[in-house]
Amino acid sequence: MSTVAFKNYIDGAFVEAAATFDSIDPSTGTPWATMPAAGVADVDRAVEAAHRALRTGPWASLTATARGKLLVRLGDLVAANAGRLAELETRDTGKIIRETRAQIAYVGDYYRYYGGLADKHEGAFIPIDKPDMEVTVRPEPIGVVAAVVPWNSQLFLSAVKLGAALAAGCTVVLKASEEGPAPLLAFAELVHEAGFPAGAVNILTGFGHDCGRRLTSHPLVARVAFTGGPSTARQIVANTAENLAYTTLELGGKSPVVVFADADLDSAANAVVAGIFAATGQSCVAGSRLLVERSVKDEFLARLKRKAEAIAIGDPQDTATEMGPLATLRQRERIETIVAESLAGGGRLITGGARPEGKADGFYYAPTIIEAQDQALACVREELFGPVLSALAFDSEAEALALANDTPFGLASGVFTTNLARAHRMARGIHAGVVWVNTYRAVSPLVPFGGYGLSGLGREGGIDAIRDYTRSKSVWIRTSDEPIPDPFVMR
Ligand SMILES: NC(=O)C1=CN([C@@H]2O[C@H](COP(=O)(O)OP(=O)(O)OC[C@H]3O[C@@H](n4cnc5c(N)ncnc54)[C@H](O)[C@@H]3O)[C@@H](O)[C@H]2O)C=CC1
Ligand SMILES: CN(C=O)/C=C(\CC(=O)O)C(=O)O
């Protein structure tokens, strides 16, 4: 029985959508809230509001400093409300409360970071090669931004988009995932409280085929910022063939974690556990491919098995829980299929590979480790987005690097070694947007983030991200009082 009803936030007001759908609590498998399903007309209203705000509303005449202050206020509100937002995210997605609380409190820093940057993004004076001209370059907001995010870490994944977009002076329509939109729809209340003018930020949820499609192909949208899976990314790119919006894509991964025999093995084992079992493996940077030097393979896998089997699985709202359920039933079914295929294909099950005992309700799956002989197994090649680690042995640094790079993805990676020179060589050689050395899954608003290959296009985070939300306008001013000479020659 649904008990809570959420609304979309369009043009500064909380509004009903034409249709609704039930949101499921993944820890029980039962509906707990009613969500608005934005259709094409709702999307059109939101984009038109964002376009009006961009062109004529009070937002358009705010100074960059004033925009920055609004963002800092929003960051403060997010941090102050992290507990409430975390409970909602945990309820709607199953991500454990220990992580949602900490992560959302940190999301406040993303808004503060971009708030601080808003009036530091400067244009240029060009020392032009013509004596009677002055040329300046103005960074102008690119336009209405369509931000589309998946279910996991929605506040976090939208902060890197909204922060940079609003700092640049853009307006935004943010589409929360239909799988767990509660935290973003509640975040809209904080946007309202912070005092953003109507239309500057619009937040809605709905399904990909209508709401997402209309939003990303809308003629008034100039910029699409997408996070999600590679197959949806291809649809997004097809959608943007209609509006030719500038598009960035943050996609999935099959990130390698390379453990050399000289590493601090206990620390490396903790990092591997953090990389694949935190967030129940539903992280784009999940370190899902362990590459371990053969001389320590058996010892290392034994450590991992012990740690995996000791993980406290349970109610994600309980602060003692270390691993909650998967976000959706569909996710678990896909994982079960790929694990079965991998075991049938010769993978050796070290632990897990089943639903945990005593967890009949909810979408739980046990921490799983599968040893593979080569990279052909499905669990080695495909992003599972779940708590499944594949493990392979290597005999040399060159082989480790070749295995690490033998993937169409390239989002993140980890290297564990006490040899500094080797750490640098590996960091240089790995084809991925992030290399963590002797650590894993560390993030910051100050640091660019994004992938190589099928892991995406563009970077979020850091100073340069704001550039992707502006376009430059070159202003030429002739400083001579003389009449324009020969009009038939290019100047
Ligand atoms: N690189 C990164 O920063 C991150 C990447 N991801 C990736 O996201 C994926 C998991 O999330 P999912 O929700 O399954 O992703 P998804 O790709 O199925 O959905 C993402 C969003 O796209 C929307 N969408 C679906 N079809 C659409 C269409 N035709 N047009 C416009 N929008 C559409 C969905 O409604 C949702 O809001 C994984 O592959 C994961 O690795 C997740 C987190 C971070
Ligand atoms: C995207 N990311 C880092 O920038 C890492 C995340 C977000 C996610 O995938 O949900 C994470 O590890 O949780």
Side-chain angles (χ1 to χ4, degrees):
M1 179 67 148
S2 300
T3 51
V4 195
F6 287 82
K7 292 183 178 174
N8 287 328
Y9 180 63
I10 298 176
D11 204 10
F14 292 89
V15 293
E16 314 268 359
T20 60
F21 64 97
D22 281 342
S23 205
I24 308 291
D25 176 343
S27 69
T28 60
T30 54
W32 76 280
T34 306
M35 299 297 170
V40 168
D42 302 299
V43 171
D44 286 354
R45 259 198 307 283
V47 174
E48 283 157 19
H51 194 253
R52 264 195 314 278
L54 183 79
R55 292 285 172 89
T56 57
W59 176 255
S61 50
L62 285 187
T63 61
T65 307
R67 292 199 303 268
K69 284 183 180 163
L70 280 174
L71 278 166
V72 170
R73 197 177 304 154
L74 181 59
D76 292 344
L77 284 170
V78 170
N81 287 274
R84 187 171 65 86
L85 294 171
E87 273 173 37
L88 287 172
E89 181 169 350
T90 294
R91 187 81 193 265
D92 221 10
T93 68
K95 190 169 190 171
I96 59 171
I97 194 80
R98 265 157 89 153
E99 171 144 289
T100 52
R101 270 191 200 141
Q103 193 183 51
I104 295 173
Y106 194 36
V107 163
D109 282 9
Y110 280 72
Y111 286 107
R112 295 182 188 123
Y113 175 81
Y114 282 108
L117 195 56
D119 59 5
K120 288 155 202 80
H121 181 56
E122 298 172 344
F125 175 83
I126 307 288
I128 192 72
D129 55 349
K130 302 176 198 309
D132 59 348
M133 295 280 184
E134 284 197 353
V135 178
T136 52
V137 180
R138 300 164 52 86
E140 299 202 334
I142 195 165
V144 174
V145 176
V148 178
V149 293
W151 81 77
N152 57 315
S153 313
Q154 296 201 49
L155 283 160
F156 177 68
L157 297 171
S158 50
V160 284
K161 299 172 175 57
L162 259 64
L166 296 169
C170 297
T171 57
V172 182
V173 180
L174 168 63
K175 182 185 129 25
S177 171
E178 65 275 31
E179 315 274 18
L184 276 185
L185 297 177
F187 163 76
E189 293 162 19
L190 305 183
V191 170
H192 195 75
E193 189 180 338
F196 282 83
V201 183
N202 306 272
I203 303 178
L204 43 76
T205 191
F207 296 91
H209 66 91
D210 54 354
C211 169
R213 189 185 182 292
R214 176 62 179 167
L215 178 57
T216 51
S217 60
H218 197 289
L220 294 178
V221 164
R223 168 81 166 88
V224 173
F226 172 73
T227 298
S231 62
T232 313
R234 291 191 175 92
Q235 294 171 26
I236 298 278
V237 171
N239 298 347
T240 57
E242 293 181 35
N243 56 11
L244 298 182
Y246 180 108
T247 302
T248 50
L249 306 168
E250 292 292 341
L251 311 178
K254 196 70 205 174
S255 300
V257 182
V258 185
V259 178
F260 287 94
D262 65 11
D264 173 339
L265 292 186
D266 205 43
S267 179
N270 275 343
V272 171
V273 166
I276 189 64
F277 300 132
T280 318
Q282 300 166 115
S283 159
C284 55
V285 296
S288 52
R289 276 191 305 141
L290 168 66
L291 305 172
V292 57
E293 195 157 358
R294 197 175 305 277
S295 58
V296 292
K297 185 202 65 170
D298 290 342
E299 179 194 345
F300 194 68
L301 289 183
R303 267 178 215 250
L304 281 183
K305 176 173 157 56
R306 276 196 303 278
K307 285 182 188 285
E309 289 172 358
I311 290 173
I313 303 171
D315 178 0
Q317 299 282 1
D318 183 340
T319 52
T321 295
E322 294 170 328
M323 213 177 95
L326 291 155
T328 64
L329 185 59
R330 185 169 50 95
Q331 268 290 102
R332 185 171 65 183
E333 287 170 354
R334 180 164 181 274
I335 289 164
E336 286 176 334
T337 303
I338 294 180
V339 167
E341 196 184 313
S342 304
L343 296 179
R348 184 171 77 88
L349 185 66
I350 290 173
T351 187
R355 300 176 189 185
E357 272 177 36
K359 293 277 174 296
D361 299 329
F363 312 142
Y364 291 91
Y365 195 76
T368 297
I369 304 174
I370 298 173
E371 187 181 354
Q373 300 312 315
D374 57 44
Q375 300 244 101
L377 281 190
C379 67
V380 184
R381 302 220 68 85
E382 296 207 24
E383 182 187 42
L384 277 83
F385 223 56
V388 180
L389 177 71
S390 65
L392 263 107
F394 66 84
D395 292 299
S396 67
E397 185 181 317
E399 189 190 3
L401 190 57
L403 288 169
N405 287 338
D406 181 18
T407 170
F409 294 105
L411 191 58
S413 58
V415 176
F416 289 82
T417 178
T418 48
N419 179 331
L420 185 62
R422 169 185 277 159
H424 279 284
R425 285 194 300 272
M426 290 296 288
R428 212 162 40 215
I430 288 179
H431 299 161
V434 183
V435 181
W436 284 299
V437 177
N438 293 331
T439 185
Y440 206 82
R441 205 169 168 234
V443 296
S444 164
L446 287 68
V447 181
F449 177 85
Y452 285 32
L454 283 192
S455 290
L457 200 60
R459 294 290 177 268
E460 294 185 323
I463 291 177
D464 281 351
I466 196 170
R467 288 184 201 285
D468 280 352
Y469 290 91
T470 63
R471 63 181 135 209
S472 65
K473 179 184 280 175
S474 303
V475 180
W476 294 70
I477 299 184
R478 186 162 179 259
T479 54
S480 170
D481 290 332
E482 299 302 314
I484 290 185
D486 186 352
F488 299 104
V489 177
M490 182 194 257
R491 302 211 64 221

